[in-house]
Amino acid sequence: MKTTVIRNADWVIKWNENEKAHRYARHADVAYQGNVITFVGKDYQGSYDEIIAGNGLCVLPGLINIHSHPSTEVMNQGFDGDGI
């Protein structure tokens, strides 16, 4: 199966199992095969078939879809009515 690596993404939002919380990582890599995430962290050293430059990207591994109401949900506190 093909392995794809998103290399050096500006931001990666990853799960920290020890803290049971999401954390932000700067300049991190994400590797996946098909629909399976195989690596999230710094300096992926494994083999790959395709590489995607992560410059300017924020990567949220595992996020499929989000249905959001920005004016009322806790995740979006601090946004004004214009979404800024």
Side-chain angles (χ1 to χ4, degrees), residues 4 9 68 76:
T4 302
S68 179
N76 297 308

Side-chain angles (χ1 to χ4, degrees), residues 15-78:
W15 181 252
N16 183 305
E17 187 61 34
N18 292 333
E19 297 177 22
K20 303 289 189 214
H22 286 96
R23 295 291 177 239
Y24 293 90
R26 292 280 289 156
H27 308 294
D29 301 339
V30 176
Y32 60 93
Q33 292 180 324
N35 63 356
V36 176
I37 298 166
T38 58
F39 179 88
V40 177
K42 298 278 187 177
D43 302 319
Y44 175 75
Q45 298 295 313
S47 62
Y48 57 86
D49 300 292
E50 180 180 8
I51 194 160
I52 298 170
N55 306 58
L57 298 180
C58 176
V59 181
L60 290 82
L63 180 66
I64 297 171
N65 188 8
I66 184 169
H67 177 95
S68 179
H69 299 269
S71 64
T72 59
E73 292 186 2
V74 175
M75 179 178 84
N76 297 308
Q77 293 298 317

